[in-house]
Amino acid sequence: MSTTLPDVNELVRIALDDDELVLPSRVEDSVDGDLLLAAAAYVGDIEGPRAGTVVSVHWTCRRGVCSVAALFIGAERSGTGMKLWRVRPAGSVELRQRRRYARVEVNGALSVVNPEVDTIRVGWMLDLGEGGVRCRVAPGAFKADEPVECRLNVDGDVLVVHGTVLRAEKPVNGYEELVVTFPDDHPAADLVRKHVFAEQLRARRAATAGGQA
């Protein structure tokens, strides 16, 4: 089964500066093999990337996280005046390991429940990504490979995601560190991805502002 380029309207990430700057975008069109992406906003983006810059485009498919190297051709406008970035794929599509999912630190509340709903643990998240969540809860409730339901409080929205316990660390200060992985195509993936993108951009803006102070 081959892996193809992302479809029109699909959410993607475009990585600049050797993957140091990862920005959210969307595929607006595909023309003659080129991808036309919604121009991403970031600190220092007055001129955008230089033509000929090597970038990479990442997106989630049913088989995992896909990635393709590309050349930044330039910026242009759509018929409606929307600013677009034209990128030209410069290699084959690759599947990335789950560990390559972007993750951000968060501190929102969550609950973890087993399938029978006879064990519920409430705690808080430590970090969150498309591929899973790391959290702290009261110890002794869950074991590795156990299916669970997670309710995550993300920016005031409650997301319900079914996943699998990857590991449970030994309790520290009365709390157990739990790592839960999510399936690649879980229903809340787009909302989690948007939150991760927003947190990445917020962190980079804060770091840039701190460096200029």
Side-chain angles (χ1 to χ4, degrees):
M1 174 176 162
S2 61
T3 303
T4 60
L5 293 170
D7 295 327
V8 173
N9 291 326
E10 189 158 355
L11 294 174
V12 298
R13 288 165 284 171
I14 181 167
L16 313 177
D17 300 331
D18 295 324
D19 288 355
E20 288 299 314
L21 182 59
V22 182
L23 304 169
S25 184
R26 180 187 298 272
V27 179
E28 297 295 332
D29 204 353
S30 177
V31 179
D32 298 328
D34 292 347
L35 294 176
L36 296 179
L37 308 179
Y42 63 100
V43 175
D45 68 343
I46 296 177
E47 296 182 357
R50 294 192 304 273
T53 299
V54 177
V55 301
S56 60
V57 181
H58 309 265
W59 67 99
T60 302
C61 67
R62 294 186 65 85
R63 299 173 61 195
V65 177
C66 299
S67 175
V68 66
L71 290 178
F72 180 81
I73 303 302
E76 55 190 76
R77 295 282 179 178
S78 69
T80 60
M82 181 179 184
K83 187 176 181 181
L84 303 172
W85 285 356
R86 180 184 288 263
V87 301
R88 182 165 297 159
S92 57
V93 175
E94 298 180 355
L95 284 170
R96 296 295 187 97
Q97 298 290 329
R98 180 175 290 275
R99 65 178 178 271
R100 298 300 298 270
Y101 275 114
R103 302 180 73 87
V104 293
E105 293 183 3
V106 292
N107 57 9
L110 93 163
S111 64
V112 184
V113 184
N114 69 354
E116 291 75 29
V117 199
D118 56 10
T119 302
I120 301 175
R121 289 292 185 268
V122 177
W124 67 94
M125 295 179 282
L126 299 175
D127 59 54
L128 175 67
E130 297 170 51
V133 63
R134 185 168 62 98
C135 59
R136 286 190 178 145
V137 298
F142 307 103
K143 59 183 184 299
D145 298 324
E146 183 175 359
V148 292
E149 176 189 281
C150 297
R151 292 179 177 265
L152 319 173
N153 190 323
V154 178
D155 291 338
D157 295 323
V158 176
L159 309 182
V160 179
V161 187
H162 291 85
T164 304
V165 175
L166 178 65
R167 66 176 184 271
E169 304 288 353
K170 292 182 178 179
V172 176
N173 296 327
Y175 290 95
E176 180 176 82
E177 189 167 296
L178 202 66
V179 177
V180 178
T181 60
F182 303 151
D184 294 323
D185 56 351
H186 65 84
D190 283 351
L191 290 175
V192 171
R193 188 180 305 122
K194 288 176 183 178
H195 176 74
V196 170
F197 289 164
E199 286 299 313
Q200 285 180 319
L201 188 56
R202 189 177 299 128
R204 286 198 168 275
R205 285 174 172 167
T208 300
Q212 294 174 347

